[in-house]
Amino acid sequence: MEHDEMKILLSGATGFIGQSLLAELLKDNHQIYAFVRKVDKRLEASVKQLTLASLAELDEKIDVFINLAGENIASQPWTKKRKEILFDSRITLTNKVKAAMKHPPKTVISMSAVGYYGVARNEVFYENTPPKPGFSHDLCAAWENSAKAFSNDDTRVVIFRLGVVLGNGGALKKMRLPFLCGLGGPIAGGKQWFSWVHIADVMKAITNAMFDESYTGIYNLVAPQLIEQQHFAKSYAASLKRPAILPTPRWPLDLVFGEMASLLTEGAKVVPQKLEKQGFEFQFDNIEGALTDIAKQH
């Protein structure tokens, strides 16, 4: 699809979503700036790298700032220090980018997560459903507010609350080994909801939001198929041609992950209501199809 060339600022360009999005954007003739802490050799030469200092000197008007930066919430237990790092890598970074830009960008597309809704098994969450209190809500709310702060300056802001993004990398990469060893069974009973989305649909939602100005505000970016964690475990094991029989009890998770275990054991039921109203068509709306597609790419 041919689009006008844009000046795009991307944070988190070397992350799981960032790498896929960058590859997609480089197919068109956009001018891409990657916001980096320090110059990164992994990025292609055609991508201009900007640190905080060089961003402050940039006199170009950015069309779209796509904010994907953020330390992985699920890679380590939530110690006090870890919570500060998670906060810093999202909120502080977004605030610093805003302060450094000479001209407000036309559009900001920022990520959040379904963790915004907090821990609740028995309710359904649409974009406007009140959340439950807790660290994951506080983190996502502060992150969303740092993105919303851009909207004072003639800037359209779109925020995607992501489910677990499935693709080659990210969460599946971490789960792959236990599942290959036949250890990937249902977690803590497996009755909690598992909000997921295929990375291809994340790319599609971001690019739609870039070019379609009717996208504005907050969207749940999760597949429309609501599944329980045990359904996911069976489907993922099947896609790897492995059994998923051994259940994972809750207590070792509490031991290893502490407070963060709630993300794995207490998933909420989240519905992509606004995207559906927007007429967004998911390329992958069922878990078997999504996982089969990813297994083929491995």
Side-chain angles (χ1 to χ4, degrees), residues 61 63 104-108 147 150-157 216:
K61 187 164 167 80
D63 292 302
K106 277 195 205 147
T107 302
V108 172
F150 278 91
S151 62
N152 310 336
D153 307 300
D154 317 318
T155 302
R156 177 173 62 98
V157 175
T216 181

Side-chain angles (χ1 to χ4, degrees), residues 182-250:
L183 300 173
I187 292 176
K191 287 280 183 205
Q192 66 279 31
W193 296 96
F194 184 83
S195 294
W196 63 277
V197 60
H198 189 295
I199 193 160
D201 285 316
V202 177
M203 301 298 105
K204 185 177 174 183
I206 291 172
T207 47
N208 281 12
M210 282 171 63
F211 299 108
D212 180 347
E213 293 191 358
S214 69
Y215 276 77
T216 181
I218 287 163
Y219 294 85
N220 289 337
L221 184 42
V222 296
Q225 181 198 39
L226 297 166
I227 61 168
E228 292 178 345
Q229 195 273 335
Q230 58 188 359
H231 180 165
F232 163 76
K234 280 194 185 122
S235 301
Y236 186 42
S239 77
L240 298 172
K241 309 204 171 14
R242 292 293 190 279
I245 312 152
L246 292 171
T248 309
R250 176 163 184 150

Side-chain angles (χ1 to χ4, degrees), residues 10-28:
L10 185 60
S11 73
T14 56
F16 168 48
I17 298 173
Q19 287 174 349
S20 297
L21 184 64
L22 190 56
E24 201 55 42
L25 295 174
L26 284 169
K27 291 177 188 167
D28 292 321

